[in-house]
Amino acid sequence: MTSFPRPALDLRNLRTEFRIRDRWYPAVRNVSVSLMPNETLAVVGESGSGKSVTALSILRLLPHAGARIQGGEVLFEGQDLVTLSEREMSSIRGNSIAMIFQEPMTSLNPTMTVGDQIAEAILIHRGGSRMQAKAEALRLLEEVKIPSPKSRLDEYPHQFSGGMRQRVMIAMALACHPRVLLADEPTTALDVTIQAQVLSQLEELKQAYGMSMLFITHNLGVVAQIADRVAVMYAGEIVELATVDALFAKPMHPYTAALLRAMPRADRGTENLEPIPGSVPALSAVPAGCSYAPRCPFKERTCLDLHPELVSSGDPGHLVRCPVRPVGGVH
Amino acid sequence: MTIEVASVAVSQPSRLWLAFSKNPLFWLGALLLAIIVAVAVLAPLIAPHDPLEQNIVARLEPPSAEFLFGTDNYGRDVLSRLIYGARISLMVGFVAILIAMTIGCTIGIVAGYVGGVLDQLVMGVLDVMLSFPALLLGLMIAAMLGASLQNLIIAIAITEIAPFARVARAPTIALKQQDFVIAGRALGFGPVRIMGVHILPNLISDVVVMSSLWMASAIRTEASLSFIGLGVPPPTPTWGSMIREGFDNILDAWWLAVFPSLAILLTVLALNLLGDALRDAIDPKLRGE
């Protein structure tokens, strides 16, 4: 055990609940996963699978009314973020753990220049003079490869395109050299060529800054490009956790396999695409047994009553939440 | 290699400018207000007489070449008093609205941002305040504090806090769910910074537009309070007290009440025209009609 490096971020049995008509329903159910130093962990799943809520729970950014972290720990540098005060949390947000969001068009304040917005984050966490912060902002804009950064510094967000704004968001997130970067579908709103640029840039910056990255996406193509390990989420829980190679080569959970078959590929025709029947269960109507059972072609009688645990699949480091698992994977 | 081209958008202020520069009512309002402000500022230079100088011989003179708008019961020149009165009316309107805007916006933004019990409590109190007509509330406060220019401003400011709080609160609730506010929290910005730096600048245009409409209402309230004797004490000339004094002689000296009434009418009209034009320019639903 001692030979293992300490994880950069360690989620243990994290449980986040939402209130719907005066009852609390879990949106994230007992998620345990470790993010190792310099690792990129992708979290994939359909809309409503709890992947964004997991990231927002880590930084405790969920709305105060109607959402609560009901249990579990978020360990970061020996501290449990769940128990910190709001003030202590503020000094972690943006400083040690930063986050970038899906919508670059609305994630910047329209009334502030881009330079001021980047400088603001530096001033809060690092102090120093406005001049120094502005100089650092300029350096960051150069680092994320914004053309003619000097004149861009004093422009407003509406003068930037979507891809440029996402780079500005990345520059802001990097301003204080965070240890962990939470990326919530950062390329989803961008078109494909820009998406590839931003992805390779994130990868470069991750190496340069020595960060760990939690990368949330629903795009398996993006996962293959950027991730080291993948956690597949369904209905608020992790159903499969594996290295990216193992997951693509030998998916163990029927849901993962179905996701892969539903993914368009350049080397196959679209007639091979198989949509997954049904949809993710509503928060208030998660089945008692396996959450995926109602949509699963391999389900057995026990699947409907017995909630499966996330256990080793037999291969080292490959966990799966499915007791049925047809031999040789579910291809 | 970058293949992006930055989108070129017309900036917010110039779009606004386009929207109301085509509106003739905006120009009428702006012109009227400019004249009234100029008159108030230049009062000592353009007033033909001392507004306080009494002249028993020339009591209740009708309008003439010497006294363009006639004289009042004490022989004071109505035109000069009207010109000096503009200073009081505009100052009361401006200062009271500035105070109301500052306090009202703070209350509205904090209530909207914090939400929950505090929000319900604050909005409940403001709803009670709103249910009183401004004049009645002003009357109560002015009667409590006593008649002076300062108390008049305080009374009017208090009556106008509630509408400002409401106008600030609604966009705050929408803005606090905006991505850039959540992104700001993710960068570790505290609530005070988020409210002051990220929410306030995004709603200030709505508030400023509305303030021109409420300045008109503040000037009306000032005149009304002065009319019933709770305004600035004599002999300082204010439009409201001039109407009050003229009211006693309305049958044989019509000019005493009519000219200050017209002055109030024109000022309120100017501010309303400006406010309407600004609101139309800002409201995208009304734009392009």
Side-chain angles (χ1 to χ4, degrees), chain B residues 218-255:
Chain B
I219 287 173
R220 262 197 348 255
T221 309
E222 183 272 327
S224 311
L225 287 175
S226 295
F227 180 80
I228 48 182
L230 282 168
V232 185
T236 313
T238 77
W239 293 346
S241 56
M242 284 171 76
I243 299 174
R244 174 82 203 90
E245 285 162 22
F247 203 66
D248 297 334
N249 298 302
I250 190 82
L251 292 178
D252 40 47
W254 56 269
W255 54 91

Side-chain angles (χ1 to χ4, degrees), chain B residues 51-240:
Chain B
L52 302 182
E53 191 188 62
Q54 302 187 1
N55 184 352
I56 295 301
V57 190
R59 278 181 72 231
L60 296 175
E61 290 261 349
S64 63
E66 165 83 32
F67 303 107
L68 273 178
F69 288 177
T71 61
D72 69 3
N73 214 4
Y74 303 97
R76 297 175 297 197
D77 179 37
V78 171
L79 176 61
S80 305
R81 289 177 66 73
L82 210 57
I83 289 170
Y84 274 89
R87 299 184 135 190
I88 305 278
S89 285
L90 288 185
M91 190 183 73
V92 167
F94 187 75
V95 176
I97 287 304
L98 208 63
I99 295 171
M101 189 161 83
T102 311
I103 299 175
C105 278
T106 310
I107 292 175
I109 291 175
V110 171
Y113 188 73
V114 175
V117 180
L118 178 85
D119 184 33
Q120 287 173 8
L121 205 74
V122 169
M123 293 324 284
V125 171
L126 292 180
D127 277 340
V128 170
M129 280 174 73
L130 273 175
S131 67
F132 286 99
L135 180 60
L136 206 60
L137 194 62
L139 187 70
M140 251 158 54
I141 299 163
M144 261 158 50
L145 297 174
S148 76
L149 179 62
Q150 189 192 329
N151 290 348
L152 186 68
I153 291 175
I154 293 173
I156 294 172
I158 292 174
T159 64
E160 304 281 352
I161 284 175
F164 274 104
R166 289 197 81 105
V167 165
R169 174 179 168 267
T172 302
I173 290 173
L175 284 165
K176 76 171 174 181
Q177 281 145 4
Q178 285 271 312
D179 290 339
F180 67 86
V181 169
I182 298 171
R185 288 175 61 211
L187 283 170
F189 299 165
V192 176
R193 174 175 292 270
I194 296 229
M195 286 187 271
V197 180
H198 297 276
I199 288 181
L200 178 67
N202 281 293
L203 56 78
I204 197 73
S205 57
D206 299 14
V207 172
V208 167
V209 165
M210 282 299 154
S211 70
S212 65
L213 292 174
W214 284 321
M215 200 166 142
S217 122
I219 287 173
R220 262 197 348 255
T221 309
E222 183 272 327
S224 311
L225 287 175
S226 295
F227 180 80
I228 48 182
L230 282 168
V232 185
T236 313
T238 77
W239 293 346

Side-chain angles (χ1 to χ4, degrees), chain A residues 63-134:
Chain A
H64 294 298
R68 65 178 183 192
I69 296 176
Q70 177 56 17
E73 295 173 326
V74 177
L75 296 177
F76 174 76
E77 292 180 346
Q79 287 174 298
D80 180 7
L81 299 188
V82 174
T83 59
L84 291 187
S85 71
E86 190 58 26
R87 183 177 290 270
E88 290 169 316
M89 206 57 221
S90 282
S91 68
I92 291 203
R93 291 182 192 133
N95 194 20
S96 315
I97 306 179
M99 185 159 177
I100 47 181
F101 294 86
Q102 179 173 358
E103 275 299 332
M105 304 311 275
T106 54
S107 294
L108 292 166
N109 183 344
T111 58
M112 266 174 102
T113 66
V114 160
D116 281 342
Q117 291 192 57
I118 302 174
E120 192 182 11
I122 300 167
L123 281 171
I124 294 186
H125 293 296
R126 293 285 140 106
S129 72
R130 264 216 103 69
M131 287 284 287
Q132 288 170 329
K134 272 303 228 343

Side-chain angles (χ1 to χ4, degrees), chain A residues 282-297:
Chain A
L283 230 50
S284 52
V286 176
C290 173
S291 332
Y292 186 61
R295 301 168 77 181
C296 182

Side-chain angles (χ1 to χ4, degrees), chain A residues 67 139 141 151 154 178-179 186-187 225 232 277 288 301 303 320:
Chain A
R139 193 193 65 74
L141 281 189
S151 58
D154 295 318
R179 308 298 312 147
T187 58
Q225 192 179 342
V232 180
R301 202 150 14 101
C303 293
V320 63

